[in-house]
Amino acid sequence: MIIYAGGFEKFIKDHERLVFSICFSFSKNYFDAEDLTQETFISAYRYIGSFDGINAKAWISKIAVNKCKNYLKSSQRKVYPVEDEVFSSIPALEDSPADYIVKKEQSENLYELCNALKEPYRAVAVKYFCENMKLSEYSLQSGIGLKTLETRLYRAKKKLSKMWGECK
């Protein structure tokens, strides 16, 4: 068993760039190349006994190439490209960041406008538009008749519509 002069740590330092560049040229992926580089040195450490001490560069390069070839053949590596049309056909589950910001800004504006209303319209508008409370639920909670709340909401909507138009 011939050991590399300076120990295995020095062996790694001396050859890590070479091994990484080989692995990267095969995998075309930085992270996969890192993994393959590590596997190459682990394999070299296990089989250091078979190293004849002549041309360490060729020996570690051969191990790296073999690791890369095995990786390219393996099922864990299989990559299936997906076209943009496939992504566009999948409905988004959430709003885009821009949509979220617009909706949030509109909500804040609506809340300010509802709070600018005078009572009794303010309370019903805030409950209905900002807190998403049903009028029947608000009627039970407040003890105010449903028809009264419907009338107040109708008038609040008219006032809000006018105020919203003035804001723009």
Side-chain angles (χ1 to χ4, degrees):
M1 178 171 132
I2 300 170
I3 298 178
Y4 188 76
F8 196 74
E9 192 173 320
K10 181 161 178 14
F11 177 80
I12 292 172
K13 287 284 184 205
D14 290 347
H15 298 93
E16 65 185 339
R17 286 185 184 204
L18 168 70
V19 172
F20 180 81
S21 64
I22 292 169
C23 295
F24 187 76
S25 69
F26 272 87
S27 69
K28 308 287 190 243
N29 181 301
Y30 181 86
F31 300 108
D32 291 339
E34 281 185 330
D35 292 343
L36 288 166
T37 300
Q38 184 175 9
E39 288 177 28
T40 298
F41 284 113
I42 290 170
S43 187
Y45 184 77
R46 280 190 188 137
Y47 298 105
I48 194 79
S50 67
F51 176 47
D52 61 6
I54 304 168
N55 202 352
K57 195 181 222 183
W59 181 69
I60 195 67
S61 295
K62 185 69 174 169
I63 295 172
V65 167
N66 288 335
K67 285 288 176 190
C68 291
K69 285 180 178 178
N70 290 341
Y71 172 73
L72 292 174
K73 290 180 202 172
S74 75
S75 61
Q76 74 185 66
R77 187 213 159 261
K78 298 237 187 277
V79 177
Y80 301 99
V82 179
E83 302 299 324
D84 288 339
E85 296 84 39
V86 174
F87 283 123
S88 64
S89 69
I90 300 171
L93 298 177
E94 296 180 7
D95 293 334
S96 71
D99 291 340
Y100 173 77
I101 290 170
V102 168
K103 284 182 180 180
K104 185 176 182 212
E105 191 173 292
Q106 287 175 343
S107 277
E108 289 170 357
N109 289 343
L110 182 60
Y111 186 75
E112 287 176 20
L113 291 174
C114 287
N115 274 326
L117 292 172
K118 294 182 180 181
E119 286 300 341
Y121 308 117
R122 178 186 313 140
V124 71
V126 168
K127 293 288 183 188
Y128 187 80
F129 292 114
C130 302
E131 297 176 13
N132 296 320
M133 186 180 280
K134 294 180 181 179
L135 287 181
S136 57
E137 190 179 328
Y138 184 48
S139 175
L140 291 173
Q141 184 185 54
S142 65
I144 302 169
L146 183 60
K147 287 290 184 191
T148 303
L149 290 176
E150 288 173 349
T151 303
R152 289 179 184 172
L153 181 62
Y154 175 77
R155 291 179 182 160
K157 283 181 182 179
K158 285 178 94 171
K159 291 176 185 282
L160 286 171
S161 178
K162 185 178 177 185
M163 292 167 69
W164 188 267
E166 292 170 0
C167 288
K168 291 185 176 186

